[in-house]
Every structure is written in C-alpha cells, then in structure tokens.
Amino acid sequence: MIKDGHIGYNGWICLVVLTQTVKIFDASSHLLVEKGGQTAWIISLIGGGFNLLFVYAVIRFMRSNPGESFLTILQTKVGNWASKLYGVNVFMLMIVSGFLHLRLSIDQIKIVTMPNTPFSVILLLILGLVVLLVVKGIETLSRMAATLVPWLVLMYFTLVVLLYQHLSLYNISPLLGPGIIQLVKKGISHSLYFGEPLGLCLLANLVREQKDFEKGLWRGTIYSVLMISGLVLVYQLAMGTPSSVNITFPFVEMTRYIYVNRFIQHLEGFYATIWLMMDFTQMGINMFFITYIFCTIFSVSHYRPLAIGFASLYFLLALSPTFFYQTLIWERELIKWGGVFHLWHAFSIWILGDLQAKRFLSLVACPFY
C-alpha cells in the first residue's frame, strides 16, 4: 500500500463537500433541469438520497476493518480479483467523469468570458495547475478545500438572498409534475450524478480516525445533496419552465439576474472567481483520485510521477468532443449507463466470486438502477 499524508475531520468533510458540490455550477446541472423541468430539484433529492444507501452500506461494511481502504477490505473479504475489478471499474468511471467535467468547465470559461483564447491554451494552463496540486498531495488539497468551502457557503446563501425578489412558487407548479412514480424512476436513473462516494470510500486509509472518515463521508454527502438540490430549486423558482431548459449555463445566468440597485449588480465576475478556484481544486482532487487508485490497484509505490501522464491523457480526451453540446450528450450517457456498468461489476462478483461475495452484491449495486 502506498503512503501519503493523513487528514483530519475538517479537511476530510470539506474535501467531500467540495468534490460533490462544485459540478452544480457548470453546464452539467443543465441535464437535471432538462430531465425534470420544474421537478428537477425533487429528482436531485431522490437521486442523492438513493446514492446515500451506498454510503451507508460502505460505512457498515468497513467498520470491521478500521483504518483500511475499501479496496483492501474488499480484497480480504471477497478476493483479490474482485477488489481489483471494483477498483478498475471506479477508475474508469472517474476518468470519464473527470475529463467531461474538465471539458464542460473550459467550455464555460471560453464561451462566457474568454471567447478569443484558444481552447488548447486554457486546457494546458488548467492541467498544469492540476498537476501541481496533485504533486502537493492530499494534505494540501484538503487544506484548500477547507479554505474554499466557507466561500462556497457564502456564495450559495448570497445567491439565494440576492435573487429573492425573482423567486416565484408558480414556477415549480405542479409540485410533483408527472407523478411520484415517474419522479422516483428519473431520480434513481440519475443517481450516478452523485457518484463521487464510489471513489471517496477508497481513501479511508488517508483519514486519521475511522470515525472521522465515517462522519465526514456521511455528513458531507448529505450536505452536498441538500446544497445541489437547493440550488436547483432556486434556479427553477427564478427562471421557471421552459425558460430554464433552454439555458445552457444556469449558474452564469443566475448571477446575471442579480439586481438590487445600481450598486449591487453585475456580480458575475465575483462569483466566477470563487467558482474557478473551487473548480480547479475539484479537478486536482479528481486527478489525485485516479493516480492514487491506479497505484493502489497495481501496487505502485509512488503516485506523483504519474500525474503528468494522466494529465496528458486528460488533454487528449478533453479534445475528443468536436463541439460543446456533444460533451453534454456524453455526460448524459455517462449518467444513464454508468450505473448499468457498475451493476455489471456487481453481477460479475456474484457469478464468479465465492459464496461470501453474495452478501456484498447489495452493497455494491444498491445506489443505482
């Protein structure tokens, strides 16, 4: 097992919150609104709540081996091949999710604020910063997350307060839209939007205390689900349907809606600065995940030298979509079929593994379809 610094409760819970919450400020949030319309916030709550079943199952499963990674425990309980299969599965999902998030963020930067700057230049600058964060390690990333989460909360609540005069309950009626059954189906099918705990549970050995890992993962995921669903609700209350469905960058549009008087307006630059710092940190955390998980799976002693190689891979993958909306289409397919891929992994353990693996099928499969 490779070694790295260890973090405490505050750094861990801030890292969990930042990792899961930042994506709501890029164009991926458009997929929730596109699918659910005025009920997008309910779909988000259902999907996030369903994903909490996975978090609960993982915490219960890991209590018998405190201080160890989920992969290490899975190797002990089920077998070496099963743990590697799970690790490779999560590794591939995070690679795809990471480069799509990177591409969506750069598209938002380029389209909204830097239209004349070449895409490859922005991409190289961001990846250079991301590699630097990965080299600094998990302790630096957790400290940055702890610094930025208060700004995230401040940005969240100021948005709600400053948009208060634009909010209308008529924009979310009828409240249950097509009905509770359809909402549950849509929520479950979009649960992979909250799939970061798939990778976060593999970092338990980097948290000083087992109880800190459990509380941080559980509470951080709950906070993230509530914040994402709450911001989607505010967006729907302010924009309504079908207007919100036709807006590609919801967060940018919300900041442009702010107008209290002639002194409090045009605040999109302020919010964009905070968002960029959080987004770069989140990308660094994602890159750390994939390098660390790769080294854990294949027993590599040092993960830092691999950062440049994975950054080069991200560079090539980020150039793959030929236009912006193709990236959104790929993101939609990842959310839709990523859960099926994860179920295939669980099914393989059940069929090919020993009898012990059967009781872990529900632990691995429950947050998805």
Side-chain angles (χ1 to χ4, degrees):
M1 175 64 66
I2 58 178
K3 301 294 183 182
D4 195 56
H6 288 72
I7 58 179
Y9 174 75
N10 290 334
W12 172 242
I13 191 173
C14 290
L15 188 144
V16 171
V17 170
L18 192 71
T19 302
Q20 299 184 71
T21 309
V22 170
K23 59 179 176 287
I24 196 61
F25 299 111
D26 64 31
S28 64
S29 58
H30 173 75
L31 299 177
L32 292 174
V33 178
E34 180 186 57
K35 187 70 174 179
Q38 75 273 14
T39 60
W41 65 282
I42 301 179
I43 290 175
S44 176
L45 273 178
I46 294 174
F50 202 68
N51 199 59
L52 282 170
L53 296 176
F54 173 81
V55 176
Y56 173 77
V58 164
I59 289 174
R60 295 280 295 180
F61 177 51
M62 296 180 68
R63 281 180 178 172
S64 59
N65 298 75
E68 295 186 9
S69 169
F70 185 68
L71 279 184
T72 304
I73 300 174
L74 199 63
Q75 181 178 1
T76 303
K77 300 286 187 177
V78 182
N80 185 57
W81 71 266
S83 65
K84 290 186 181 300
L85 184 60
Y86 181 87
V88 170
N89 180 24
V90 174
F91 173 78
M92 294 178 64
L93 286 175
M94 294 186 69
I95 283 279
V96 177
S97 175
F99 96 80
L100 287 176
H101 174 75
L102 174 64
R103 176 60 189 259
L104 288 173
S105 297
I106 295 178
D107 281 333
Q108 183 163 310
I109 294 170
K110 180 173 175 58
I111 293 172
V112 177
T113 60
M114 305 173 66
N116 297 322
T117 306
F119 180 87
S120 57
V121 173
I122 302 175
L123 180 58
L124 282 173
L125 290 174
I126 292 177
L127 286 176
L129 178 59
V130 168
V131 169
L132 178 62
L133 291 175
V134 174
V135 171
K136 291 295 183 180
I138 188 67
E139 291 177 311
T140 298
L141 288 168
S142 66
R143 284 194 293 267
M144 290 191 66
T147 302
L148 291 171
V149 163
W151 286 96
L152 168 65
V153 176
L154 175 66
M155 184 171 66
Y156 185 95
F157 283 105
T158 54
L159 269 175
V160 175
V161 172
L162 295 176
L163 284 172
Y164 178 77
Q165 59 183 339
H166 298 286
L167 306 183
S168 174
L169 291 175
Y170 291 105
N171 290 332
I172 60 170
S173 60
L175 187 62
L176 296 180
I180 189 63
I181 296 178
Q182 290 299 320
L183 290 179
V184 170
K185 289 181 179 179
K186 292 179 181 180
I188 294 175
S189 66
H190 282 69
S191 59
L192 198 65
Y193 188 80
F194 303 90
E196 284 78 8
L198 289 171
L200 290 169
C201 66
L202 275 62
L203 303 181
N205 56 308
L206 298 182
V207 183
R208 293 194 186 100
E209 301 289 340
Q210 176 71 16
K211 62 179 181 179
D212 292 339
F213 164 75
E214 294 180 2
K215 288 194 301 181
L217 184 60
W218 180 251
R219 293 179 181 178
T221 303
I222 293 176
Y223 297 156
S224 300
V225 171
L226 292 177
M227 291 183 70
I228 289 174
S229 302
L231 197 61
V232 172
L233 173 60
V234 171
Y235 177 56
Q236 288 301 120
L237 288 171
M239 305 295 179
T241 305
S243 299
S244 58
V245 179
N246 299 322
I247 297 173
T248 306
F249 302 111
F251 169 65
V252 175
E253 195 63 28
M254 277 199 299
T255 58
R256 289 176 176 173
Y257 254 53
I258 295 174
Y259 180 88
V260 179
N261 53 48
R262 63 178 181 172
F263 300 107
I264 304 179
Q265 57 179 311
H266 302 301
L267 299 178
E268 53 266 25
F270 169 75
Y271 288 108
T273 302
I274 300 175
W275 167 71
L276 284 174
M277 291 189 293
M278 294 189 301
D279 205 49
F280 295 157
T281 305
Q282 196 275 341
M283 292 179 194
I285 294 171
N286 177 271
M287 186 73 71
F288 174 85
F289 280 171
I290 62 172
T291 54
Y292 191 86
I293 292 171
F294 180 87
C295 293
T296 302
I297 295 172
F298 298 104
S299 302
V300 179
S301 300
H302 304 284
Y303 68 88
R304 289 181 174 88
L306 297 177
I308 295 178
F310 282 116
S312 302
L313 175 62
Y314 267 38
F315 181 86
L316 296 175
L317 292 174
L319 294 175
S320 300
T322 55
F323 52 93
F324 169 66
Y325 283 100
Q326 186 177 21
T327 312
L328 281 179
I329 293 171
W330 289 9
E331 179 81 8
R332 185 187 300 118
E333 294 302 309
L334 170 67
I335 294 174
K336 180 179 179 180
W337 296 107
V340 175
F341 183 54
H342 195 67
L343 274 181
W344 169 83
H345 156 74
F347 183 74
S348 300
I349 292 180
W350 183 60
I351 293 295
L352 302 176
D354 54 26
L355 294 177
Q356 281 186 321
K358 290 184 180 180
R359 66 178 124 149
F360 301 120
L361 176 64
S362 59
L363 298 179
V364 180
C366 68
F368 302 109
Y369 297 78

